[in-house]
Amino acid sequence: MTVVSSPSLEFSSLESALKHYFGYDSFRPGQRQIIEKALRNQDQMVVMPTGGGKSLCYQLPALLKPGLSIVVSPLIALMQDQVQALEDNGIAATFLNSSLSGIELRERERAILAGEMKLVYVAPERLLNEDLLAGWMSQVYVSAIAIDEAHCVSEWGHDFRPEYRQLQQLRQWFANVPIMALTATATERVRQDIIAQLALNDPQPHVSTFNRPNLYYEVRSKQKQAYRELLQLIQQRTGESGIIYCLSRKRVDELTGKLQLEGISALPYHAGMDNKTRAENQRRFIRDDVQIMVATVAFGMGINKPDVRFVVHYDLPRNIEGYYQESGRAGRDGEPAHCLLFFGAGDIKTVEFLISQKVDPASGEPLADEQRIATQQLRRVIDYAQATECRRIIQLGYFGEAFPGNCGNCDNCLNPKPIEDWTIEAQKFLSCVARVNQRFGMNYVIDVLRGSKNQRLLQNGHDRLSTYGIGKDRTADEWKMLARSLIHQGLVDETSDGYSVLQLNELSWEVLRKQRAVAIAVPPKPASTSTNTTTAHDTEQVEALFQRLQKLRKRLADEQSVPPYVVFQNASLREMAETQPLNETQFAEISGVGSRKLEQYGAVFLAEIRAFRQEHGLSLEPVRSGAIAARPSQPLPEPTLYPAETHLHTFKLYQQGLKPFEIAEERNLRLSTITAHLAELIEMGYDVPLETLVLPDRQERIIAAIQVVGADSRRKVRDYLGEVFGYDEIHLVIAAWRRQQAATKTNR
Ligand code: ADP
Ligand code: ZN
């Protein structure tokens, strides 16, 4: 067994160190490998998407190595949050920046020199101050340097910071100290630039997939009722944080005002506000004092609030990379989150207008290249919005990552839009545009097609046109859908003079001359946005407890004036609400509860849970649920059967902390195949705890079904349970059930 030692403690494995310091049970994909390399003092270039868990990659090694780790970070606010979160886990960390007084700085310097600190966060310009480096810092044993947001060093990146350039000198000052550069920037050019600028030594970049499986991507067409839909979404998600992005400051202010009138707790954020108000609004959002941040793209960089549950783009984003980064601020904690884009033809005009404003400030000449690139990027956003294939194929493809598609967590995968041939309808529509002399807008044209008795139409004598009433077979909404699609596809033009008059172009004539077919994606009936199919019988009770724990957390956080997530993240609270631990041992098993958190918060949270259970007339004895025990009371016999190579491969990845769908991705196999491997491993007695795969109350219900219909047929079990249960989870529970049956027999 590997023994990992830290200066003061010994751990039987990296996992136990992880649990001790951070309370997590397993590593996220990639973390383990990166940490192992860090412990071998190699330079590294780590590319992981937002929420991938980059911080842990340098934090855990810092704790396991002797000496001090330096973390270079660009934003003061970010440093404070990170240090706060570490301190709350009982980890000795501090930061040095301009917000501190001379006395505070000297105290921290003393603590570092005395070897009391494991991590220090510092801005590049402060670190590369010669007085510091040649002065007291030269007496510190520095074991590693981590450079967060490393793309700031590259002019090719979207956030170049001149002060990061000074980091080139790091190597001279810290010749033999390993450097880890971390970024969420996906482009190859920036990566190469970082390696060169920082003179990383053979870093063999670790590039994670940019897929964020927990994010549900959806695009809706932005019609009149878009605002209602937005409101509904927010109201359905009471108590959950969300960001709404708008294209301009004006729209941010308007929308915030509207939402506030409805009684929604929302605040604005944009570059036009004074610094103080902006910082205050941001702070209130991070502290959960306000639910919604309505913002321009100025908001977000460096916000590492993990529990943003939805990001809505109320206006069109300018490019795909921007959209990926902005929407990616949702769900950093790995829990389900919703990314919704409202796509309206009107916005295209606005963005086009903004693009046309890109002129040389000196001469006033249009910046042709920039305009061309921006137009191209806009085109790709439109393609994304109109796409009928898996959203992830397009997003990840943009970063050069091939994605097989059918992610099962985007609108197009969940509700595939049938493509229909609407050539005939398009011809009717366009010829009607021609008949009204290209002088009217979409609604008027549709009135003519549908044979309306509208006064204006009759006055114009348009009831005598040959196209009058030829479109009665379609609803007005269907015609609008077609018209919009024609506009999006560039098959007809719409003027931008405020009148939105439809005009035919070259392509329209091709359609009319039958030289071009028209296909449009027909949206299914509005789908429910929820992807969560849990239907536990006590959902309501769990939800009530969850909300109560959130309140407790907020109170504790306010008392210490820290953001609530520093106390516990939502995932931990949810697990508490679901498993309802009644003693410290059970509480310590919750993900996110490390030794320090247990000590600091265990008692209050346990008291709250007990009070809740008492009020609901529930037992206070630690209950053994009908679910299969996480750890069998009697030792299972050693595995005697040997699984096939492919099963072992799956097992290895599982042990590294990958979730089944991640293993499927990694191995390029179907999820059901991976489930079958895991099920077989479980049945053979390999250590694959069922509770890591199936929620306890779902296990319970599946077992109840097995007891009725037997374990021979998954089909029967599923029929008995109904649609909301999947074959995969049934498969796993059956395997565990069989294993337990076999074990009881042998142990008897
Ligand atoms: P990044 O910097 O890559 O955006 P963070 O380091 O902020 O991501 O991590 C995102 C979230 O994931 C944080 O809330 C962190 O506590 C959590 N996290 C990181 N590693 C793990 C893990 N192994 N298990 C559970 N949660 C984790
Ligand atoms: Zn998809």
Side-chain angles (χ1 to χ4, degrees):
M1 217 172 235
T2 43
V3 173
V4 187
S5 62
S6 85
S8 52
L9 294 160
E10 291 218 328
F11 297 101
S12 60
S13 66
L14 280 178
E15 276 76 11
S16 52
L18 177 70
K19 179 70 189 167
H20 175 82
Y21 288 114
F22 297 95
Y24 300 134
D25 296 320
S26 56
F27 289 103
R28 295 251 181 94
Q31 284 179 332
R32 187 176 231 289
Q33 294 89 314
I34 295 165
I35 290 167
E36 281 170 353
K37 275 201 207 166
L39 292 173
R40 291 199 296 269
N41 294 324
Q42 293 177 351
D43 277 2
Q44 294 196 70
M45 164 83 205
V46 173
V47 185
M48 262 191 197
T50 305
K54 286 186 284 299
S55 324
L56 199 87
C57 296
Y58 55 81
Q59 289 169 348
L60 191 59
L63 298 170
L64 297 175
K65 287 181 176 193
L68 176 78
S69 287
I70 298 177
V71 185
V72 177
S73 169
L75 299 165
I76 292 182
L78 205 68
M79 283 182 204
Q80 273 164 347
D81 285 357
Q82 293 241 15
V83 167
Q84 192 95 63
L86 287 167
E87 282 177 346
D88 233 57
N89 275 319
I91 293 165
T94 190
F95 61 85
L96 304 175
N97 69 29
S98 52
S99 73
L100 300 170
S101 69
I103 299 174
E104 284 172 308
L105 279 172
R106 271 188 300 281
E107 163 53 23
R108 290 180 186 205
E109 183 184 317
R110 186 207 58 77
I112 292 170
L113 278 169
E116 289 164 16
M117 289 294 156
K118 294 307 297 173
L119 286 130
V120 62
Y121 284 72
V122 57
E125 62 276 19
R126 179 165 286 271
L127 176 62
L128 289 153
N129 173 316
E130 202 152 321
D131 289 344
L132 175 84
L133 290 170
W136 64 269
M137 188 62 97
S138 63
Q139 296 162 41
V140 178
Y141 175 64
V142 176
S143 64
I145 298 175
I147 299 178
D148 208 359
E149 313 282 356
H151 56 273
C152 293
V153 80
S154 168
E155 282 179 79
W156 298 113
H158 51 82
D159 192 31
F160 171 60
R161 289 169 181 248
E163 65 275 17
Y164 257 65
R165 267 293 148 85
Q166 304 172 37
L167 292 172
Q168 289 174 329
Q169 306 159 30
L170 267 185
R171 272 285 177 236
Q172 295 153 28
W173 291 101
F174 300 95
N176 295 315
V177 178
I179 297 181
M180 183 188 293
L182 305 105
T183 177
T185 300
T187 58
E188 179 62 28
R189 189 184 217 174
V190 176
R191 280 175 217 162
Q192 290 310 326
D193 206 20
I194 295 172
I195 294 175
Q197 300 284 344
L198 298 175
L200 298 186
N201 184 14
D202 185 25
Q204 298 163 16
H206 171 96
V207 182
S208 294
T209 167
F210 271 69
N211 184 21
R212 304 266 315 273
N214 59 317
L215 301 186
Y216 174 67
Y217 291 104
E218 183 187 6
V219 180
R220 291 193 205 170
S221 74
K222 187 174 178 180
Q223 304 175 12
K224 276 217 184 62
Q225 68 273 23
Y227 175 70
R228 287 277 126 213
E229 288 181 29
L230 177 69
L231 200 59
Q232 210 177 25
L233 177 97
I234 297 172
Q235 283 163 344
Q236 277 167 357
R237 291 177 163 271
T238 328
E240 298 186 347
S241 301
I243 304 173
I244 303 168
Y245 280 109
C246 299
L247 208 54
S248 64
R249 300 169 190 187
K250 188 164 151 264
R251 293 221 218 180
V252 167
D253 289 333
E254 279 169 10
L255 185 62
T256 316
K258 262 169 110 171
L259 291 173
Q260 286 172 342
L261 276 181
E262 312 268 358
I264 305 273
S265 143
L267 283 175
Y269 187 105
H270 58 64
M273 295 158 55
D274 66 88
N275 283 343
K276 200 164 149 271
T277 320
R278 226 168 34 173
E280 174 61 14
N281 288 359
Q282 172 171 327
R283 199 188 64 85
R284 293 181 63 186
F285 179 65
I286 291 174
R287 300 269 158 105
D288 287 350
D289 289 331
V290 65
Q291 186 196 356
I292 307 285
M293 191 99 291
V294 187
T296 59
V297 292
F299 179 75
M301 161 72 183
I303 303 300
N304 61 355
K305 185 170 169 51
D307 53 1
V308 174
R309 291 271 73 82
F310 57 101
V311 172
V312 178
H313 279 73
Y314 198 56
D315 293 325
L316 209 56
R318 290 183 206 192
N319 56 55
I320 299 273
E321 165 130 41
Y323 181 65
Y324 175 84
Q325 300 291 358
E326 286 143 30
S327 58
R329 297 196 173 116
R332 287 173 86 118
D333 53 11
E335 289 208 64
H338 188 173
C339 306
L340 174 61
L341 166 64
F342 280 104
F343 173 61
D347 294 345
I348 301 178
K349 293 269 174 258
T350 315
V351 179
E352 278 172 348
F353 173 78
L354 290 173
I355 292 172
S356 72
Q357 298 298 296
K358 285 183 190 274
V359 293
D360 186 330
S363 65
E365 288 291 307
L367 292 168
D369 281 352
E370 281 194 28
Q371 292 196 0
R372 203 192 61 245
I373 293 165
T375 307
Q376 213 172 26
Q377 289 181 331
L378 172 63
R379 189 71 238 166
R380 297 200 66 166
V381 173
I382 298 172
D383 288 347
Y384 170 80
Q386 291 184 323
T388 49
E389 73 255 62
C390 175
R391 305 272 177 214
R392 285 181 162 79
I393 294 184
I394 308 172
Q395 282 188 11
L396 298 174
Y398 189 83
F399 302 127
E401 185 178 331
F403 186 76
N406 213 343
C407 69
N409 201 19
C410 77
D411 51 354
N412 285 343
C413 286
L414 289 186
N415 308 290
K417 292 188 183 97
I419 302 288
E420 288 181 7
D421 184 337
W422 281 49
T423 311
I424 308 271
E425 285 82 353
Q427 286 163 350
K428 286 184 185 173
F429 186 87
L430 294 172
S431 64
C432 194
V433 172
R435 296 269 184 264
V436 298
N437 291 325
Q438 308 185 47
R439 284 177 37 226
F440 293 88
M442 177 194 303
N443 291 334
Y444 188 91
V445 173
I446 293 172
D447 277 350
V448 176
L449 282 168
R450 301 195 67 245
S452 154
K453 296 271 188 295
N454 165 337
Q455 269 302 310
R456 180 159 155 245
L457 188 159
L458 299 178
Q459 272 162 16
N460 288 333
H462 283 156
D463 52 337
R464 280 166 299 174
L465 293 176
S466 61
T467 52
Y468 183 75
I470 59 170
K472 282 188 181 146
D473 54 334
R474 296 272 179 202
T475 65
D477 276 344
E478 284 175 318
W479 283 115
K480 275 188 205 163
M481 178 180 72
L482 169 70
R484 271 189 223 104
S485 181
L486 292 175
I487 296 168
H488 295 164
Q489 297 186 52
L491 299 178
V492 69
D493 290 337
E494 191 180 39
T495 59
S496 55
D497 53 3
Y499 297 101
S500 300
V501 170
L502 292 179
Q503 295 184 331
L504 303 180
N505 60 25
E506 268 312 299
L507 298 178
S508 323
W509 286 108
E510 287 182 19
V511 174
L512 285 168
R513 283 191 232 107
K514 302 192 176 133
Q515 290 161 342
R516 175 180 282 273
V518 177
I520 66 169
V522 194
K525 302 290 157 262
S528 112
T529 56
S530 163
T531 55
N532 196 337
T533 51
T534 326
T535 52
H537 50 274
D538 54 358
T539 321
E540 247 171 61
Q541 188 216 81
V542 167
E543 194 52 41
L545 177 55
F546 178 63
Q547 284 178 10
R548 204 157 141 172
L549 296 176
Q550 272 185 320
K551 284 208 188 97
L552 172 64
R553 172 179 69 171
K554 174 74 175 132
R555 185 164 61 73
L556 294 170
D558 286 349
E559 277 167 18
Q560 310 167 62
S561 110
V562 297
Y565 68 79
V566 168
V567 175
F568 278 123
Q569 298 200 8
N570 273 350
S572 303
L573 294 192
R574 182 149 304 277
E575 202 180 318
M576 287 175 210
E578 271 161 5
T579 58
Q580 309 189 354
L582 288 166
N583 55 35
E584 285 211 346
T585 320
Q586 291 175 342
F587 194 77
E589 276 170 19
I590 305 279
S591 169
V593 179
S595 47
R596 173 62 171 264
K597 294 255 162 109
L598 177 65
E599 198 179 299
Q600 196 174 355
Y601 300 119
V604 267
F605 277 86
L606 281 168
E608 192 77 15
I609 294 166
R610 294 179 76 90
F612 177 87
R613 288 185 63 91
Q614 205 153 25
E615 285 162 31
H616 286 76
L618 297 164
S619 150
L620 294 180
E621 287 305 305
V623 278
R624 193 176 121 30
S625 67
I628 292 173
R631 300 264 171 255
S633 44
Q634 303 191 14
L636 293 177
E638 281 294 303
T640 45
L641 297 163
Y642 289 96
E645 194 62 36
T646 177
H647 290 58
L648 283 177
H649 190 173
T650 294
F651 186 52
K652 228 164 122 193
L653 293 171
Y654 170 82
Q655 283 186 314
Q656 287 169 14
L658 271 67
K659 302 232 161 60
F661 72 87
E662 289 163 340
I663 302 176
E665 237 168 68
E666 172 94 21
R667 299 201 56 194
N668 215 353
L669 292 171
R670 296 158 64 107
L671 180 61
S672 56
T673 312
I674 300 301
T675 312
H677 292 170
L678 292 171
E680 210 162 311
L681 290 161
I682 290 175
E683 212 171 326
M684 287 180 179
Y686 279 74
D687 186 15
V688 181
L690 188 61
E691 79 272 24
T692 61
L693 301 166
V694 185
L695 289 174
D697 56 354
R698 293 179 80 78
Q699 289 180 31
E700 226 174 287
R701 294 187 51 192
I702 296 170
I703 288 168
I706 292 173
Q707 278 157 355
V708 179
V709 300
D712 293 329
S713 155
R714 269 172 260 156
R715 177 68 179 277
K716 277 193 196 147
V717 175
R718 185 164 186 267
D719 287 349
Y720 181 82
L721 285 163
E723 297 268 314
V724 291
F725 282 81
Y727 281 112
D728 288 332
E729 50 187 331
I730 294 173
H731 199 160
L732 293 165
V733 176
I734 289 184
W737 190 80
R738 286 198 184 133
R739 174 71 194 161
Q740 210 179 36
Q741 298 294 307
T744 10
K745 264 185 221 144
T746 35
N747 283 332
R748 222 180 265 150

